[in-house]
């Protein structure tokens, strides 16, 4: 698609994300139609900002066009999801978020590779500081539509994917992990009927090694 194609229903999706996460007590920052340079600047700010150190978790939503090779279209050109987004959040590149959940919700990206590791330094009651190694891509959750799916959107109601996600997060109970919530989202989308034979299937990748709860 054209780099400047209008993504039908985006305003509804953005409104749903904002409402859902602000009710959970999250700070929501919206960047509309960023250029590739603005995407890089935003990721650099996340890596370098002192405020990042105070975060307990980070969620990134990417609503755009893309292809099956990890390319996401910005306003002026495309960028590589792994290089410009995922690699910026590794423990070695962003130590302020090491060991903290990083949730990425998008409709593109898929690649297999081996993982490097990073040495993490943290405060200890015994000797002031201790170190340990974790995989560089640890504590990351990526939830997206399978690469062979097109996004089904509606101008009035938004996209199936984002709307189902936000609805289930709003409905989730205290003590329900995010993985349990996302399983319900996947079921909602996979069993939803559309005109003709159109279907969608979400795809989940996670290196988070403990339960994560959005409500407590």
């Amino acid at each position: 698609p054209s780099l400047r194609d209008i993504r039908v229903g985006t305003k509804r999706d953005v409104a749903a994300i904002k409402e859902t996460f602000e009710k959970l007590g999250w700070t929501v920052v919206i960047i509309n139609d960023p250029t590739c340079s603005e995407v890089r600047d935003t990721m650099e700010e996340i890596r370098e900002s002192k405020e990042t150190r105070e975060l307990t978790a980070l969620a990134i939503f990417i609503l755009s066009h893309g292809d099956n090779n990890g390319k996401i279209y910005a306003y002026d050109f495309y960028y590589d999801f792994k290089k410009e987004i995922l690699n910026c959040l590794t423990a070695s590149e962003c130590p302020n978020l090491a060991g903290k959940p990083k949730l990425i919700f998008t409709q593109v990206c898929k690649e297999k590779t081996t993982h490097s590791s990073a040495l993490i330094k943290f405060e200890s009651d015994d000797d002031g500081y201790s170190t340990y190694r974790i995989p560089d891509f640890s504590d990351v959750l990526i939830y997206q539509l399978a690469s062979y799916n097109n996004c089904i959107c509606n101008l009035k109601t938004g996209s199936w994917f984002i709307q189902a996600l936000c609805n289930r997060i709003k409905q989730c109970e205290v003590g329900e992990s995010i993985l349990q919530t996302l399983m319900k989202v996947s079921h909602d989308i996979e069993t939803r009927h559309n005109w003709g034979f159109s279907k969608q299937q979400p795809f989940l990748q996670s290196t988070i090694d403990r339960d994560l709860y959005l409500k407590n």
Side-chain angles (χ1 to χ4, degrees):
S2 168
L3 299 183
R4 301 187 183 184
D5 276 351
I6 297 175
R7 184 179 176 276
V8 176
T10 294
K11 290 183 178 180
R12 292 284 186 177
D13 288 346
V14 171
I17 294 167
K18 186 175 186 294
E19 178 190 5
T20 300
F21 278 80
E22 284 186 341
K23 284 185 177 180
L24 296 174
W26 290 53
T27 300
V28 178
V29 177
I30 300 171
I31 304 176
N32 291 316
D33 300 323
T35 62
C36 285
S37 178
E38 288 172 332
V39 170
R40 296 186 185 102
D41 289 345
T42 299
M43 297 309 299
E44 182 69 16
E45 182 178 354
I46 290 173
R47 286 195 300 175
E48 302 295 335
S49 175
K50 294 181 179 179
E51 296 179 358
T52 302
R53 187 179 305 171
E54 306 301 321
L55 297 178
T56 56
L58 174 72
I60 296 176
F61 283 82
I62 301 175
L63 309 181
S64 184
H65 295 279
D67 63 18
N68 295 341
N69 299 313
K71 293 179 181 178
I72 300 175
Y73 296 126
Y75 186 76
D76 55 345
F77 202 60
Y78 63 80
Y79 60 92
D80 184 82
F81 171 82
K82 183 175 183 293
K83 178 182 178 182
E84 305 293 351
I85 305 295
L86 190 57
N87 285 354
C88 293
L89 300 175
T90 62
S92 57
E93 288 293 324
C94 189
N96 287 337
L97 286 176
K100 300 176 182 180
K102 295 164 281 289
L103 316 178
I104 306 174
F105 301 96
T106 178
Q107 297 176 3
V108 292
C109 86
K110 192 173 185 181
E111 185 173 2
K112 297 180 180 179
T113 185
T114 56
H115 294 170
S116 58
S117 65
L119 189 64
I120 303 304
K121 184 178 182 181
F122 66 99
E123 293 185 11
S124 170
D125 294 334
D126 299 328
D127 56 5
Y129 289 95
S130 297
T131 60
Y132 68 102
R133 283 194 174 273
I134 63 173
D136 228 8
F137 287 98
S138 66
D139 306 299
V140 176
L141 182 149
I142 301 172
Y143 190 57
Q144 61 189 1
L145 290 179
S147 61
Y148 48 81
N149 280 168
N150 289 322
C151 176
I152 299 177
C153 298
N154 183 285
L155 181 61
K156 295 182 179 180
T157 61
S159 68
W160 284 15
F161 181 70
I162 295 298
Q163 295 299 320
L165 175 64
C166 290
N167 287 337
R168 279 299 182 180
I169 290 177
K170 291 176 183 177
Q171 297 170 15
C172 75
E173 303 289 340
V174 173
E176 179 179 307
S177 73
I178 190 168
L179 290 180
Q180 292 174 307
T181 301
L182 295 183
M183 286 178 61
K184 294 178 180 179
V185 175
S186 295
H187 177 77
D188 290 345
I189 296 175
E190 290 171 1
T191 57
R192 182 170 177 174
H193 296 285
N194 189 34
W195 59 89
F197 297 96
S198 298
K199 302 291 289 185
Q200 288 190 307
Q201 183 177 38
F203 181 74
L204 172 67
Q205 292 175 297
S206 176
T207 58
I208 294 179
D209 59 3
R210 56 198 179 280
D211 288 331
L212 173 64
Y213 304 96
L214 295 177
K215 294 182 180 179
N216 53 32

